[in-house]
Amino acid sequence: APMGWQDIPGYSGFLPLYDRWVAQAKDGDVALEVGVALGHSIAYLARLVIDSGKEIAIFAVDPLNVRAI
């Protein structure tokens, strides 16, 4: 089976916010997540957008330098 957002390590206490946002979003809207770490929550958002059938652009940025940890 393909990997899903549930398979990505991480915790996101704000996933219900993404549920509400995608429900009210319109085609052409843009989502930006800053601080994506391993990608758990951005993968959740991507799945919501795909399942919604809406044309929403998603951008994700994380300045974390893993080698510095």
Side-chain angles (χ1 to χ4, degrees), residues 1 24 33 60 68:
Q24 62 84 37
E33 181 174 301

Side-chain angles (χ1 to χ4, degrees), residues 4-5 9-12 14-16 19 21-22 25-26 28 32-33 35-37 40 44 46 49 54 65 68:
W5 67 270
Y11 170 77
S12 304
F14 52 87
L15 298 182
D19 294 331
W21 186 82
V22 171
K26 301 176 200 69
L32 169 65
E33 181 174 301
V36 299
H40 180 84
Y44 179 83
V49 170
K54 297 177 183 179
N65 180 348

